[in-house]
Amino acid sequence: MRSVPSNKRLLILVKNDNFSPSDRKVLIDNLRQEFSNFFRINDLRIASKHVEIDIICDDIMKAKKIEKFNPILLIRDLSSYDEVTDVFQKARELFNSERFWEFHELLEEVWRKKNGDEKRLLHGLILIAASLVHMQRNNTLVSIRIMRRALDELKPFDISYNGIDISSVKSKITLMLQENKIQLFKI
């Protein structure tokens, strides 16, 4: 009996030489055309130093063909979870590396197990990441709307939460919303 290859969901980070979120549509169309025989592209997000390409693929060697486009920085199998000893340290690393989608996914696992104020605070942080993912997708209006929701969730909190200075984060968000322009920042 012949085995059927199993599809895996992979996240590939490739070097970003000069793309901005406004290039997303053309870039995703070009990559789909170029690599459709090897894998299916689910999503694409453009950060300042890397491009995140979320794919479905039955063979990692096929996924590595993306190197023809730009050098690969990382391939991560999303169908299995990495062991993380300090979730919040990892979350900060992801956020500060503009890997907002992964930050969102990591904190969502924690958020599900919490309740009350802590759940609300985590939801605010997750919304910030969701907003920045939309910025990476060149969807500015949605990004601003979600950032407003994040600020609403974080308003009651003026603390440091697991190494994240919530007051500083709120100040940065407030300034962005006053200027009606989403910008990158570190936590």
Side-chain angles (χ1 to χ4, degrees):
M1 177 180 252
R2 197 169 175 203
S3 69
V4 177
S6 67
N7 285 332
K8 289 187 176 208
R9 186 167 175 205
L10 303 173
L11 181 66
I12 303 174
L13 273 62
V14 297
K15 187 171 188 256
N16 183 359
D17 292 327
N18 59 356
F19 297 106
S20 72
S22 62
D23 298 317
R24 181 180 181 271
K25 182 168 177 17
V26 170
L27 184 57
I28 200 168
D29 288 345
N30 289 344
L31 290 174
R32 282 182 172 148
Q33 185 176 355
E34 177 79 22
F35 297 104
S36 64
N37 290 335
F38 305 109
F39 49 79
R40 188 179 90 222
I41 297 176
N42 282 338
D43 198 5
L44 183 139
R45 298 170 290 274
I46 300 175
S48 59
K49 294 182 179 163
H50 66 268
V51 176
E52 295 178 1
I53 308 165
D54 183 343
I55 70 167
I56 301 290
C57 188
D58 64 0
D59 180 355
I60 198 155
M61 295 311 291
K62 289 180 182 177
K64 288 182 178 182
K65 292 191 182 290
I66 199 79
E67 192 137 54
K68 179 179 173 186
F69 161 63
N70 260 1
I72 296 172
L73 303 172
L74 171 83
I75 297 180
R76 188 169 153 238
D77 184 346
L78 296 175
S79 49
S80 65
Y81 289 96
D82 296 334
E83 280 289 319
V84 177
T85 54
D86 185 338
V87 170
F88 292 97
Q89 178 182 335
K90 181 66 177 179
R92 284 190 310 277
E93 289 170 13
L94 292 170
F95 189 96
N96 293 336
S97 299
E98 298 177 46
R99 292 168 62 185
F100 305 117
W101 183 84
E102 291 174 276
F103 173 91
H104 176 284
E105 292 293 307
L106 181 63
L107 285 190
E108 197 170 71
E109 290 299 311
V110 177
W111 171 79
R112 288 173 208 238
K113 298 172 188 164
K114 302 294 180 181
N115 37 36
D117 284 345
E118 189 173 13
K119 187 168 191 131
R120 182 175 184 185
L121 189 147
L122 282 163
H123 188 241
L125 294 173
I126 290 166
L127 286 172
I128 292 168
S131 169
L132 294 170
V133 164
H134 280 281
M135 181 195 73
Q136 290 176 328
R137 291 177 176 156
N138 197 37
N139 197 340
T140 306
L141 294 176
V142 172
S143 181
I144 290 169
R145 266 197 319 261
I146 294 172
M147 196 62 81
R148 278 195 180 96
R149 288 178 43 215
L151 184 59
D152 286 344
E153 288 290 280
L154 296 175
K155 269 188 182 162
F157 307 104
D158 285 315
I159 61 170
S160 177
Y161 177 74
N162 289 295
I164 301 170
D165 183 346
I166 302 301
S167 296
S168 174
V169 169
K170 289 186 333 184
S171 294
K172 291 171 186 173
I173 293 171
T174 300
L175 183 61
M176 281 188 269
L177 293 175
Q178 287 170 349
E179 295 173 354
N180 209 32
K181 182 180 179 189
I182 301 299
Q183 297 176 335
L184 298 175
F185 64 95
K186 307 268 187 201
I187 59 170

